[in-house]
Amino acid sequence: QKEVEQNSGPLSVPEGAIASLNCTYSDRGSQSFFWYRQYSGKSPELIMSIYSNGDKEDGRFTAQLNKASQYVSLLIRDSQPSDSATYLCAVNLYNFNKFYFGSGTKLNVKP
Amino acid sequence: GAGVSQSPRYKVAKRGQDVALRCDPISGHVSLFWYQQALGQGPEFLTYFQNEAQLDKSGLPSDRFFAERPEGSVSTLKIQRTQKEDSAVYLCASSLKRAGANVLTFGAGSRLTVL
């Protein structure tokens, strides 16, 4: 079992719709949670970090964390074609040294 | 520097050759990580440095892989006797403080192709 699981997609949504990306993790000792965006051929860039249960909003992005269910999600409102990328979920464990990444979900936003 | 700098961006090696990949982290960043990213996969942890100390090398896939950060800034990932399965993008990331509630800033990566 991988530490972090994501549906590989592709997830296709029309422009202006809400895109919902999901991630589950296996270690209950996980403390920090991150969403990275990776364009094809580029390096990952941080979109959101979340550390406590509930929602965290930043512009069009909302991260949701449910530690009881070991579940993290990312909502993208008013999706734009420029949001088309692979979204990586990352989890940092209690020992602080490792950030585990999921395999990523590919998002296609169609104009 | 302004960002994490990696070189070379692209490297083609014949099977059996040794390669060295360089990472220059953001100035003042204490923590430095190396990740390996195969095509269509997420980054896989290789090793972690806090300043010059290599605190975790549990992700290095074999003893052909070696990393160092002798002065606590620039790091080099060396792969000896490269094999085809070493073909991947090698990402370096740094963070300001000790790992924990800190975020990683990635370099552009070094794409290694072993023929």
Side-chain angles (χ1 to χ4, degrees):
Chain A
Q1 181 187 13
K2 291 196 69 176
E3 295 285 349
V4 181
E5 298 275 2
Q6 292 182 257
N7 188 319
S8 61
L11 173 66
S12 292
V13 300
E15 185 175 355
I18 296 175
S20 177
L21 304 163
N22 305 313
C23 166
T24 59
Y25 60 94
S26 60
D27 194 317
R28 287 192 174 275
S30 303
Q31 294 189 323
S32 308
F33 307 86
F34 307 87
W35 283 99
Y36 283 81
R37 178 175 62 199
Q38 187 172 30
Y39 291 112
S40 180
K42 302 294 185 183
S43 59
E45 56 178 334
L46 181 72
I47 298 176
M48 295 281 290
S49 58
I50 186 167
Y51 306 106
S52 55
N53 279 327
D55 295 0
K56 179 181 178 183
E57 186 174 320
D58 184 1
R60 296 186 297 113
F61 300 95
T62 299
Q64 299 175 317
L65 174 60
N66 183 326
K67 289 187 177 181
S69 300
Q70 295 175 242
Y71 180 89
V72 191
S73 65
L74 179 70
L75 300 178
I76 306 175
R77 290 180 299 281
D78 189 24
S79 296
Q80 301 297 309
S82 58
D83 295 327
S84 297
T86 295
Y87 289 80
L88 298 165
C89 173
V91 169
N92 179 236
L93 299 185
Y94 61 89
N95 68 354
F96 301 144
N97 289 350
K98 295 177 182 177
F99 290 73
Y100 288 101
F101 285 80
S103 57
T105 298
K106 186 175 176 62
L107 173 66
N108 290 327
V109 180
K110 298 182 177 180
Chain B
V4 179
S5 178
Q6 291 189 247
S7 62
R9 289 293 315 279
Y10 303 93
K11 175 70 178 178
V12 178
K14 291 183 179 179
R15 189 164 59 93
Q17 282 185 329
D18 298 349
V19 300
L21 308 176
R22 175 190 167 102
C23 173
D24 195 347
I26 294 173
S27 179
H29 276 201
V30 169
S31 299
L32 185 146
F33 299 78
W34 283 99
Y35 282 83
Q36 180 190 59
Q37 187 172 25
L39 189 64
Q41 299 297 314
E44 295 283 344
F45 172 82
L46 294 177
T47 187
Y48 159 67
F49 291 86
Q50 184 176 302
N51 295 308
E52 70 279 1
Q54 188 175 22
L55 298 186
D56 190 334
K57 56 181 180 179
S58 62
L60 296 176
S62 77
D63 59 7
R64 297 186 295 104
F65 286 72
F66 171 77
E68 61 182 3
R69 193 186 184 196
E71 297 179 358
S73 56
V74 171
S75 176
T76 303
L77 176 67
K78 297 179 179 178
I79 309 173
Q80 297 177 322
R81 305 181 303 281
T82 52
Q83 303 294 313
K84 283 194 172 185
E85 60 263 27
D86 299 335
S87 296
V89 176
Y90 290 86
L91 294 166
C92 176
S94 68
S95 68
L96 180 59
K97 300 177 183 178
R98 293 171 180 80
N102 278 292
V103 300
L104 302 180
T105 300
F106 283 89
S110 292
R111 182 180 296 276
L112 172 65
T113 303
V114 181
L115 302 178

